[in-house]
Amino acid sequence: MQIADFPVPDTLAARGALEIARSYQSPALTAHALRSWLWAEGFARIDGISGIDHELLYVSAVLHDIGTVPEFDNHTISYEHAGGHVAVALTAGAGWPAPRRRRALEVIVRHNWPSVDPTMDAEGHLLEIATGLDISGSRPEVLPEEFRREVLRAHPRGTLAAEFGACVIDQAARKPDTAARRLVDAGIIGKLAANPLESF
């Protein structure tokens, strides 16, 4: 398994998602988004999950934390809902039909669920377990070590632990009824610091 096995979708929506991420997010958050996409694709292959909408998965992964940046932060709804609506707007401009646009919102929202049934939402499940690896260090041994090393060389973690930790603490304080509060209460700060990917 290697990065070349997972080509970036050559579509208007995919290009637009990456442009938005790079324009508004820090390099560390954008690298996290791209690693999350690659981990999701890797888990799909390892776990035998087929029939994936790869463009949907890529766009959702690249934009899944865009709701944390000041320009898209929402004062009432969770950052994952805010980011999902950014994806809806982007994909509307790219010509996606309404049901597929709603899928981008669902996948981004569900990445913050404690778990997602792959038979109900394969892309949501894959993004949830991929971000679980990149943030909390869940199931690193499932993906080949050389693949993990290649992805981390291409998209280094940098200041992700400090940046994302501060962001989630802020979100939890301002919006205590959202998933950010649950993440903080579940020890996400310690999990970020102890993530085995930090030592690669």
Side-chain angles (χ1 to χ4, degrees), residues 86-97 101:
V86 172
V88 169
L90 170 79
T91 54
W96 288 21
R101 299 197 300 267

Side-chain angles (χ1 to χ4, degrees), residues 2-11 14 37-38 41 45 53-55 57-59 147:
Q2 54 189 351
I3 290 175
D5 294 339
F6 308 114
V8 174
D10 185 16
T11 67
W37 165 63
L38 287 164
E41 291 283 4
R45 178 167 295 186
D53 183 333
H54 295 281
E55 182 187 20
L57 181 59
Y58 179 85
V59 169
F147 178 63

